[in-house]
Amino acid sequence: MKTHVTTTINGEEVEFLCEPHETLLDALRNHVGLTGTKEGCGSGDCGACSVTVDGELVCSCLVLAPEAEGKSIGTIEGIADHDKLHVIQEKFLEHAALQCGICTPGLIVSTKALLEENPNPTEEEARYYLAGNLCRCTGYDKIIRAVLDAAETMKGAA
Amino acid sequence: MSEAREFKYVGTRSIRPDGFDKVTGRANYAADLDLPGMIWGRILRSPHAHARITRLDTTRAEALPGVMGVATFKDFPAVSTEEFQSGEGSTALNDLARNILADDKVLYHGHAVCAIAATSEALAEQALDLIDIEYDVLPPVMDVADAMKDDAPLLHEDMFTEGLEEKPSKPSNIALRFELKKGDIEQGFKEADLVIEREFYTPTVHQGYIEPHACTVRYDNAGTSMVYCSTQGHFDVRAATAKLLDMELGKIKVVPSEIGGGFGGKTTIYLEPVAMILSQKSGRPVKMVMDRDEVFMASGPGSATRNWVKIGAKKDGTLVAMQARLCYEAGAFPGSPMRPGVMTVFTPYDIENAFVEGYDVVVNKPKVAAYRAPGAPQSEFACEMLINEIARELDMDPIDLRLKNAAREGTQTLYGPKLKKVGLVECLEAVKASDHYRSALKENQGRGVAAGFWFNIGGPSSVSINMNPDGTAILIEGNPDIGGSRASMQLMAAETLQLPLDDVKPLVGDTDVLAYSGATGGSRTTFATGMATIQAAEDIVRQFKERAASTWNVTPEQVEYANGTVTNTAGDDSMTVAEICAGADRTGGHISGRGNINARGAGPSFAVHLADVECDAETGRCWVVRYTACQDAGKAIHPSYVEGQYQGGAAQGIGWALNEEYIYNEDGRLENPGFLDYRIPLASDLPMIETIIVEVPNDFHPFGVRGVGESGIIPPLAAVGDAVAGAAKINVTELPLSPPRVLKAIAEGASA
Ligand code: FES
Ligand code: FES
């Protein structure tokens, strides 16, 4: 028996059918067609699947799809305003904070959550907040620089 | 090459052309393609490290409604023992087949045995449980030293050691012995005032790319079958799939997805032929995605090694003899990177007397795959640790000791050629002059320095550039963009075409649209594919001139091209590229340029790293507090992505030194196949990684490029290793320097 789920994704109401045991990650990718959210481990260890549920940062591989019922989900596809990139996205590009880019959607979603919680993070705070988002390519240096620069820029704009 | 050349685009930090897609989630990776009618494949894997399969019956699984296909080793047509070259290594075809699906024996925990395709992933998984399989469990061999013993259990009863003077009479787990020598090693040691020897151990590690292996495959009996997958070399995936399944090469199209990391581990194949068999049997497109534990258990690790090194030096620091015996685990099938390990181990040193022997040894672990500078981190770790020890014994600065013996232009390498212009001395001097090197250490901190050498390779690359009628250019390369190669191709093409950067749009082409290109690996892409790009762009510039000349009825020699405009030196005509391209159908058809090369003259890249480590003696935890990575890029085409390679290599090497290792239980089962227990560095584990780009141009590349992708993973093992030795006041001979190992060493030191 499939479960019918009504939820809001990036501000739009969405309905989908899923197996009760399926994860939110699988539902987003396989039933809603939003493949920007990535799977690196399926066990909550890599952060590639980061999304927000009612504003809270979660690993979508650890959330069951039916739990999305009535909630508001935020994914990487909702960060930019159409063609206008979010400051965080711009800073990731300017600082070359991605190489292969598989970790990037998760990191950008997590960074947005970080800066909403703490608009003025120190390097150490940023490193600990993002410790759940693995990147194997960059050694994190340019990612952290992009995050701190984005924070600076967003403060200036506020 | 003129060294004083001024560049307009090369050397700038442009925004990568594929960036928008990658920060918005629009870029498609291996697991992101669904096709109409698509079904899912899953793989049954061995729970044993070493066993004979005595029964395999899929009847019950096939009877499950929704199951549409089964694949086993028997579905491979008879495959030959021919060596198959791909990426940075070669494997016998029948070994490749037996690794993809086990034949009569399983050779490691997680070895694929049988695959099932069904209408959903969950259903395929359920069907795996209905496969009736029985094993006769055999004793496993889990360490290279054990595997080399005379009475060791054999993985392959028909394997006889190659590279010996006489063919051995008994089979062995040693697949190959290989040696290199120069000078007189015994005489060399006689001349030494100080001789130190030691054996070092490095564990099995994984490349750790965040994107698991995945593919979507559609078999087409009449037309072209399609493979969509994440790979460093889609032309090699095509060739391997064709050979393994006895299909026509030209009837397979491999479309490379964006690639979520590879580091050498995606130069081989695992799922693609299996999905092809399942698609053929079911008549449906088949998608397969590995779980993370499958990635760890059954794909790519890098070799564990036991390497013994002996070095002799004079009192003044002159190295007079270097000897090594290097033993590399190949995993279940021959083909460890022992050979490059042997070739690179002593290359940073100008040494007269050297002797190195290496062994390629099979054990009951997954078949190893290339991992960034394959083979070099392990062997050079051993050498560099000893060099630092010699510096301490002689009371010399470790950089001065290296400078005294450094390889430079004209140095005769052990592996063959004399070095051309190289930048080791420049790197050593740059690190010596750095603020980091002169900074003071705090209590419980140690500092380590190490050098690293990697050859870099050239090889075949194809690029085509098509001019649009509006004067913009489409550049098609055959190398998956793993770390910004579209950006560097765009820079090199715009530089040569003298067109605005945004007017050049780089794409990665599939196997149907471009001639063969070797894999993205061996640090070859910016060098070799860069040369093909420059050649294609030069081909276009030549045609711009010809077209304008023919319009003006002058010879091409009478026209000049600069910054997007051709001018007639014999008159005052001029034409822009946009005008030439818009009118191209009147001057002979639209314009495209090609670069098809087999690049020679790859320039080696030396690296020198400096690490400061702090140790908490109570817990044994060690962490890096400051790090500098210096490396010779030849010419940095895009400095940010060059720094990114240095930083990424350093981070992987730091992980290798401090945390990462495969942990097997006594039955040979892998106990840590996940990111929680196989701990790669997190953002909170690392400091900023300072970089120094040295540029000693490679004269064989028009812009001076050397590859930069690999050397950066070599020095961290010894730089961090030696820093830990200093911080924790212990002897370091084994990696990783995880808290339990450090704590034990501290305790042993205290009791000694
Ligand atoms: S896929 Fe969810 S944390 Fe890795
Ligand atoms: S850019 Fe490749 S994993 Fe982060």
Side-chain angles (χ1 to χ4, degrees):
Chain A
M1 251 296 279
K2 295 218 178 197
T3 307
H4 178 267
V5 178
T6 308
T7 186
T8 303
I9 302 178
N10 302 327
E12 265 174 59
E13 194 179 279
V14 174
E15 293 175 70
F16 60 83
L17 288 177
C18 66
E19 301 289 339
H21 61 260
E22 272 184 282
T23 64
L24 176 58
L25 173 62
D26 283 342
L28 287 170
R29 293 180 49 83
N30 299 335
H31 303 317
V32 188
L34 292 177
T35 54
T37 306
K38 304 300 179 193
E39 173 163 352
C41 68
S43 54
D45 299 316
C46 77
C49 64
S50 301
V51 301
T52 53
V53 177
D54 285 349
E56 198 189 323
L57 182 65
V58 297
C59 292
S60 61
C61 70
L62 297 182
V63 176
L64 286 174
E67 292 182 74
E69 178 72 36
K71 299 270 172 49
S72 175
I73 314 294
T75 74
I76 183 66
E77 287 90 348
I79 305 271
D81 181 7
H82 298 282
D83 277 358
K84 171 105 188 65
L85 293 179
H86 189 281
V87 174
I88 297 168
Q89 293 169 314
E90 279 173 356
K91 292 299 170 191
F92 266 64
L93 291 180
E94 259 174 50
H95 286 269
L98 48 142
Q99 285 175 29
C100 78
I102 193 82
C103 66
T104 310
L107 267 155
I108 287 175
V109 169
S110 296
T111 301
K112 185 156 176 264
L114 160 68
L115 299 184
E116 273 162 19
E117 262 175 56
N118 177 1
N120 203 7
T122 62
E123 180 189 331
E124 196 179 1
E125 285 167 345
R127 285 185 181 277
Y128 276 90
Y129 193 95
L130 298 175
N133 287 87
L134 298 181
C135 172
R136 188 58 155 172
C137 298
T138 64
Y140 305 103
D141 182 299
K142 292 184 189 300
I143 292 173
I144 299 298
R145 286 178 205 277
V147 170
L148 298 179
D149 190 5
E152 240 356 88
T153 311
M154 284 161 71
K155 251 187 336 197
Chain B
M1 207 210 89
S2 88
E3 288 184 24
R5 172 158 184 184
E6 289 280 328
F7 293 104
K8 184 159 181 198
Y9 299 115
V10 163
T12 63
R13 297 175 188 257
S14 59
I15 299 291
R16 63 194 284 171
D18 51 331
F20 186 93
D21 285 357
K22 285 182 175 159
V23 297
T24 54
R26 229 160 58 172
N28 288 316
Y29 291 80
D32 296 347
L33 179 71
D34 287 357
L35 292 175
M38 186 187 86
I39 59 173
W40 294 76
R42 292 291 296 159
I43 287 185
L44 180 73
R45 296 184 180 276
S46 166
H48 305 295
H50 194 189
R52 203 170 292 286
I53 302 170
T54 52
R55 173 164 180 245
L56 176 60
D57 183 349
T58 56
T59 323
R60 287 197 304 137
E62 284 174 84
L64 187 72
V67 168
M68 304 190 74
V70 174
T72 66
F73 179 80
K74 295 204 169 55
D75 292 304
F76 288 118
V79 285
S80 71
T81 55
E82 177 193 339
E83 288 287 309
F84 179 74
Q85 292 283 342
S86 82
E88 293 176 88
S90 78
T91 311
L93 270 173
N94 62 339
D95 285 347
L96 197 58
R98 290 188 291 164
N99 189 45
I100 290 169
L101 285 170
D103 185 4
D104 55 334
K105 263 173 109 183
V106 288
L107 295 164
Y108 52 93
H109 176 212
H111 196 163
V113 174
C114 176
I116 288 193
T119 47
S120 78
E121 204 176 8
L123 194 66
E125 193 72 38
Q126 210 183 315
L128 296 182
D129 289 339
L130 299 176
I131 296 173
D132 293 302
I133 184 158
E134 280 162 30
Y135 298 96
D136 184 5
V137 178
L138 302 166
V141 193
M142 303 307 295
D143 183 281
V144 64
D146 295 335
M148 291 172 81
K149 290 184 182 144
D150 269 348
D151 57 351
L154 290 176
L155 273 77
H156 309 284
E157 265 120 48
D158 55 351
M159 196 170 89
F160 293 83
T161 309
E162 290 190 21
L164 299 179
E165 269 163 30
E166 275 173 44
K167 184 173 185 266
S169 58
K170 268 179 40 184
S172 158
N173 290 321
I174 303 172
L176 173 70
R177 181 185 180 280
F178 172 68
E179 69 167 48
L180 288 175
K181 58 178 147 194
K182 79 191 256 214
D184 181 340
I185 191 72
E186 268 157 39
Q187 184 55 33
F189 281 118
K190 271 190 209 137
E191 287 165 21
D193 299 314
L194 172 69
V195 175
I196 305 185
E197 61 182 289
R198 226 168 268 299
E199 188 181 278
F200 295 88
Y201 172 75
T202 66
T204 302
V205 291
H206 196 274
Q207 293 80 350
Y209 31 82
I210 305 297
E211 176 197 45
H213 296 269
C215 64
T216 300
V217 173
R218 182 179 51 213
Y219 177 79
D220 188 327
N221 186 29
T224 299
S225 298
M226 197 266 310
V227 176
Y228 172 87
C229 66
S230 173
T231 174
Q232 291 172 242
H234 44 301
F235 291 90
D236 296 337
V237 170
R238 179 180 65 172
T241 307
K243 291 230 160 163
L244 287 173
L245 299 178
D246 202 13
M247 291 172 71
E248 273 179 60
L249 186 81
K251 288 198 169 167
I252 302 173
K253 169 165 90 166
V254 181
V255 180
S257 67
E258 293 304 328
I259 176 169
F263 315 106
K266 289 181 185 161
T267 53
T268 183
I269 57 169
Y270 303 101
L271 299 175
E272 294 82 355
V274 179
M276 188 69 85
I277 294 168
L278 292 172
S279 177
Q280 181 175 12
K281 290 193 174 183
S282 63
R284 306 278 282 270
V286 174
K287 179 166 177 168
M288 298 183 82
V289 182
M290 279 196 198
D291 286 344
R292 175 54 54 183
D293 60 347
E294 297 181 276
V295 173
F296 276 111
M297 284 193 297
S299 79
S303 296
T305 63
R306 292 196 181 273
N307 295 332
W308 169 85
V309 176
K310 178 176 173 185
I311 298 179
K314 287 201 188 270
K315 275 202 202 80
D316 68 354
T318 309
L319 302 176
V320 287
M322 301 178 101
Q323 186 178 356
R325 181 175 188 269
L326 311 176
C327 303
Y328 280 59
E329 289 181 5
F333 298 95
S336 74
M338 169 274 284
R339 219 185 264 264
V342 168
M343 291 160 82
T344 54
V345 56
F346 296 137
T347 306
Y349 302 96
D350 186 359
I351 179 79
E352 220 154 277
N353 308 301
F355 174 58
V356 187
E357 57 183 326
Y359 295 88
D360 180 35
V361 183
V362 294
V363 295
N364 291 110
K365 294 184 182 178
K367 173 176 168 30
V368 303
Y371 181 19
R372 212 168 194 160
Q378 295 98 322
S379 66
E380 295 189 51
F381 162 64
C383 170
E384 292 299 292
M385 288 300 287
L386 269 203
I387 293 288
N388 286 334
E389 191 172 341
I390 287 171
R392 268 193 296 277
E393 289 291 321
L394 297 177
D395 203 15
M396 269 182 89
D397 175 284
I399 294 188
D400 288 340
L401 175 64
R402 287 179 170 85
L403 277 169
K404 189 173 180 71
N405 298 284
R408 56 195 85 212
E409 185 169 7
T411 296
Q412 173 63 53
T413 63
L414 183 57
Y415 66 89
K418 280 202 166 94
L419 290 177
K420 305 276 187 329
K421 210 158 48 166
V422 289
L424 175 58
V425 168
E426 288 79 354
C427 288
L428 288 165
E429 280 167 352
V431 171
K432 198 175 172 199
S434 68
D435 170 68
H436 182 178
Y437 199 59
R438 283 171 293 158
S439 67
L441 290 172
K442 301 208 185 82
E443 218 181 311
N444 300 321
Q445 293 185 348
R447 175 168 292 164
V449 63
F453 160 81
W454 183 250
F455 323 87
N456 296 338
I457 60 172
S461 277
S462 302
V463 166
S464 71
I465 300 180
N466 301 323
M467 295 306 300
N468 292 319
D470 65 354
T472 59
I474 310 282
L475 181 153
I476 308 170
E477 60 166 321
N479 284 95
D481 184 346
I482 206 163
S485 85
R486 287 188 190 88
S488 51
M489 293 315 139
Q490 186 189 41
L491 288 164
M492 287 185 271
E495 189 76 48
T496 311
L497 291 169
Q498 304 185 55
L499 290 176
L501 206 52
D502 284 346
D503 285 0
V504 180
K505 185 164 77 179
L507 308 173
V508 180
D510 66 47
T511 52
D512 272 7
V513 304
L514 201 66
Y516 180 88
S517 274
T520 295
S523 299
R524 63 176 293 279
T525 304
T526 313
F527 170 70
T529 308
M531 271 163 87
T533 292
I534 294 166
Q535 208 176 82
E538 284 170 345
D539 186 14
I540 299 251
V541 168
R542 183 182 52 74
Q543 295 176 65
F544 287 162
K545 289 182 170 166
E546 281 172 7
R547 299 302 178 92
S550 78
T551 308
W552 299 321
N553 262 326
V554 296
T555 67
E557 289 71 39
Q558 289 171 295
V559 304
E560 268 171 12
Y561 178 72
N563 298 321
T565 304
V566 186
T567 49
N568 183 358
T569 54
D572 54 5
D573 313 290
S574 72
M575 266 175 116
T576 65
V577 164
E579 287 163 351
I580 294 170
C581 292
D585 41 5
R586 291 191 299 274
T587 56
H590 286 270
I591 298 172
S592 61
R594 290 185 308 119
N596 299 86
I597 59 165
N598 184 9
R600 312 239 173 244
S605 182
F606 280 97
V608 176
H609 288 196
L610 186 59
D612 293 356
V613 167
E614 190 162 323
C615 176
D616 174 1
E618 243 166 76
T619 61
R621 188 171 93 88
C622 295
W623 64 99
V624 174
V625 291
R626 188 166 182 187
Y627 202 94
T628 298
C630 173
Q631 191 179 323
D632 178 13
K635 173 72 196 168
I637 299 296
H638 193 304
S640 299
Y641 291 105
V642 170
E643 292 162 359
Q645 289 298 319
Y646 295 5
Q647 292 165 335
Q652 283 185 318
I654 291 168
W656 199 334
L658 291 180
N659 294 312
E660 297 179 28
E661 66 179 318
Y662 272 32
I663 298 169
Y664 284 95
N665 73 8
E666 48 198 43
D667 299 327
R669 295 203 174 92
L670 182 61
E671 295 202 304
N672 60 337
F675 280 132
L676 190 62
D677 299 313
Y678 183 97
R679 195 168 183 278
I680 69 173
L682 317 176
S684 53
D685 290 338
L686 295 173
M688 291 297 183
I689 295 167
E690 295 162 52
T691 54
I692 304 172
I693 299 178
V694 164
E695 293 185 319
V696 175
N698 171 19
D699 290 338
F700 295 86
H701 184 280
F703 299 158
V705 169
R706 299 171 191 274
V708 294
E710 290 169 294
S711 305
I713 199 176
I714 303 165
L717 278 63
V720 172
D722 203 51
V724 169
K729 301 174 190 64
I730 56 172
N731 288 324
V732 167
T733 53
E734 291 186 3
L735 299 182
L737 294 155
S738 52
R741 189 170 267 131
V742 171
L743 214 49
K744 189 163 157 256
I746 291 175
E748 279 165 7
S751 65

